Amino acid sequence: MSPAVFGHGHLRLYLLFVLDERPMHGYEIIQALSDRFGGTYVPSAGTIYPRLAKLETEGLVTKQSDGRKTVYAITEAGRAELDDRRDELEGIENGIGDSVRRLADEVRSSVSEAMTTLRAELAAAAREVRDDARASASSARDAASRATAAATAGAAAASEAVRDATTSMHSTISETRADGRAQVQRADVLLAEFRQDMRTELRTAAARGSVDPSVVDELESGLSRLRAQIGSRLG
């Protein structure tokens, strides 16, 4: 939990406020906090669960199993503390509004930096395309010069063969480069999707407190094998 979002002891009070609405399991509590921040701040399971455990120890919340989930509920003692600190809670609510605006500004700044980087990458790609075009134009001029010399010498058939060979060569090079870039972009998308899916599933499992270390070990070994297989083919 970032102290820039909640002051000392404020997250503890805010958890009681959230549970005063209704009993929730851990993931629902995390989602409720995320919704109040408009998605700009999502507390981790490592932030929420230790505080819930402390509230339970103090008798301010209870927990009970509901299938595979653990549901937390506020107690009368928790409501009493909440009532005693309503003025402080109002200040926290106002602070959340400020935090949302600050975090939104940080998100906009990150997006701006990403756009700047993207524009730089696009400019570099455009330069590469122009360089390729100049190289192709130079090669075309050379081929044209050779064809003219051959025509002047009366070798019209040889000139035609040179033009055909040049056209075929440039076509093959262009197709090879385009296909290579397309495959790299496709691989980038697949890797990003895999990373996002795995991250979401692991975070969801962590929120339920059910991440088995053997799962991560299997992920690590599987990725190592896959990297070795693909590396041998690319090499």
Side-chain angles (χ1 to χ4, degrees):
M1 191 258 323
S2 171
V5 176
F6 285 104
H8 178 68
H10 287 174
L11 177 57
R12 175 180 182 276
L13 180 60
Y14 208 72
L15 287 173
L16 292 176
F17 172 67
V18 169
L19 289 174
D20 191 40
E21 296 180 356
R22 63 182 176 85
M24 301 181 190
H25 58 75
Y27 179 75
E28 287 177 318
I29 295 172
I30 291 172
Q31 190 61 50
L33 288 170
S34 174
D35 291 343
R36 281 171 167 78
F37 280 86
T40 58
Y41 167 68
V42 180
S44 67
T47 295
I48 297 302
Y49 285 104
R51 283 165 175 78
L52 289 172
K54 192 171 189 304
L55 289 172
E56 182 188 8
T57 300
E58 295 172 356
L60 303 180
V61 302
T62 61
K63 70 177 181 181
Q64 63 180 25
S65 297
D66 180 15
R68 297 180 61 186
K69 300 176 182 177
T70 299
V71 177
Y72 295 86
I74 191 170
T75 65
E76 290 303 320
R79 288 193 176 90
E81 177 168 337
L82 192 59
D83 290 339
D84 290 341
R85 300 175 65 184
R86 287 288 177 185
D87 292 342
E88 185 178 350
L89 183 62
E90 183 177 350
I92 295 174
E93 286 278 79
N94 293 334
I96 285 178
D98 294 337
S99 294
V100 168
R101 286 188 289 273
R102 187 186 69 254
L103 291 171
D105 289 342
E106 292 175 359
V107 169
R108 282 192 292 270
S109 176
S110 296
V111 170
S112 178
E113 291 176 1
M115 290 301 296
T116 299
T117 300
L118 178 59
R119 283 193 292 268
E121 291 176 350
L122 290 174
R127 287 194 297 271
E128 183 179 348
V129 169
R130 287 195 298 270
D131 291 343
D132 289 346
R134 291 192 188 99
S136 296
S138 177
S139 297
R141 286 194 296 271
D142 291 343
S145 177
R146 289 193 298 272
T148 301
T152 303
S159 174
E160 186 67 22
V162 170
R163 284 195 296 270
D164 289 344
T166 301
T167 300
S168 177
M169 177 185 66
H170 289 310
S171 176
T172 299
I173 292 174
S174 297
E175 290 175 0
T176 300
R177 286 177 176 172
D179 182 68
R181 294 190 186 109
Q183 294 306 319
V184 170
Q185 291 174 351
R186 180 186 174 200
D188 285 343
V189 170
L190 292 173
L191 289 171
E193 290 178 348
F194 176 81
R195 180 179 181 274
Q196 184 61 38
D197 289 344
M198 287 296 96
R199 189 177 184 182
T200 298
E201 291 181 15
L202 286 170
R203 282 188 170 183
T204 300
R208 296 195 302 262
S210 60
V211 176
D212 188 335
S214 65
V215 172
V216 180
D217 293 340
E218 184 176 352
L219 174 62
E220 181 180 14
S221 62
L223 288 174
S224 296
R225 289 195 300 271
L226 181 60
R227 182 168 58 185
Q229 292 172 359
I230 293 178
S232 64
R233 295 188 63 181
L234 291 177

